[in-house]
Amino acid sequence: MANLDPRPSVIGVRLSKIKRMIAVTGWKGGIGKSVTASALALLLAKKGFKTGLLDLDLAGASAHVVLGAGGAFPKEEMGLEPPIVAGVKFMSVAFFSNNKAVPLRGANVSHAIIEMLAITQWGELDFLIIDMPPGINDAALDVIRLLPRAEILAVTTPSVIAHSVLERSLELYKSLKVPVLGVIANMERGAGDRSTTARAVCKRPLAGRRAGNRSGGVRLRLDPREGEPRLLAGRVRYDSALEKALGSPDKILKTNFAKDLGKIADFMFCGMPEL
Amino acid sequence: MHEWALAESVIKTAVEHAARGKLRSVSEVAVFLGELQSIDKEIFAFALAELVKSSFKGLSGCKFRLLAEPAAFKCKACSKEFTLKVLKKTEEEAENIHFIPEMAHTFLKCPRCKSPDFDITAGRGVSIKFIKGEA
């Protein structure tokens, strides 16, 4: 018989004490996935939730830069225990790459992801936030395959290009019956009070179960003039101060970006038990 | 000591294999330990022995054969085939490869053309060669 890979057998065990897994995606590069995922993890941890952050963007790992996690390293204890950075249990391939490039082909990406999932001891978590790479690639498909409980939180920007890519991703998630929590409209300019118009999407994912138009596809409508935004979880204003806050969790949490995202998180996770 | 996590995966796979094959007991499991990951054989064997104690009773008499598998590589850029012995790495780089063997593509290069784009054709990490048992 061909050699058996034993590692996938324990992935379910490693994730068994995690209540919810949120994969922050959007397929397009440069739309703020890593900052959104990292800030969301910081916000949830600040609210008292036990929170983890897993950076699966192996080629472009950057959550460690957002968190300022330099110097942190996992502890060997029946596997690897993620270091706690600003209250967030954090795991990234960046711990092992010495700040060098990680040039991996698809099969190797899968191997690395399976290895990380098999050896990381997360323990009990209310949330595991997953920073996804752009595109529908090995990492994205592995998350669907290996983390079937993961819910998609998509990020987009006002760009028609980002919307176009996002619509295709939502179409695929719908066909694969992957639950989609909602879409965060990031880098909104002149959004004003609309940034606070987050819709409550707690408990029930919007796509993958019931969203879709008559043709069976998912049509993303983020412009209120087109009617009720179907998948919009909320808007996050473009914040020119965010760049200078990167690397400092305390500063990030004080930005308007984090304030807008925090309102969305409040709505999205309002079904979670009160602390 | 992250060997424990991988040893646990071997035990769980053996238990699942026994359940699928409706085996009463598992008599032998052969495990390849790939040279690239540099798993500590003694720690791995100790972890297996300890984990068996709290696992499926049918594993209690199981013999675990731990087999060293030499690492082999083939460059995708120039087709050069090479082994781990010809590659240089620091202690820290070896440690990082120990945790995630794919870090080999970050720290190691084809000895002929210096490309990091190579296949690990053998000896990557932990895999199971066979599981034997009685129904």
Side-chain angles (χ1 to χ4, degrees), chain B:
Chain B
M1 293 286 278
H2 93 291
E3 277 86 350
W4 278 80
L6 296 171
E8 187 184 357
S9 75
V10 170
I11 296 291
K12 194 153 189 303
T13 300
V15 171
E16 288 173 357
H17 183 84
R20 273 197 305 274
K22 297 181 179 173
L23 303 178
R24 274 188 300 113
S25 64
V26 177
S27 56
E28 189 176 4
V29 177
V31 182
F32 276 132
L33 300 181
E35 181 187 16
L36 180 63
Q37 189 161 30
S38 189
I39 289 290
D40 188 309
K41 188 176 175 179
E42 280 186 27
I43 292 174
F44 200 83
F46 179 71
L48 288 171
E50 289 298 307
L51 289 162
V52 158
K53 293 176 186 173
S54 57
S55 182
F56 167 54
K57 284 183 181 174
L59 269 182
S60 57
C62 179
K63 181 184 179 186
F64 290 94
R65 289 177 57 193
L66 303 184
L67 311 166
E69 184 184 28
F73 310 88
K74 184 175 183 182
C75 181
K76 292 188 84 72
C78 74
S79 299
K80 167 83 173 171
E81 294 184 15
F82 51 99
T83 65
L84 193 60
K85 290 178 179 60
V86 303
L87 303 173
K88 290 179 182 175
K89 55 186 182 303
T90 67
E91 203 170 295
E92 187 184 10
E93 290 168 350
E95 181 81 347
N96 289 328
I97 293 169
H98 169 61
F99 290 124
I100 311 282
E102 282 60 46
M103 292 301 103
H105 297 276
T106 292
F107 301 117
L108 306 180
K109 305 282 182 282
C110 167
R112 182 154 71 192
C113 72
K114 310 302 178 194
S115 170
D117 187 13
F118 52 78
D119 282 331
I120 303 166
T121 54
R124 178 202 169 273
V126 176
S127 63
I128 295 177
K129 185 181 180 187
F130 64 75
I131 300 171
K132 290 181 181 173
E134 287 89 42

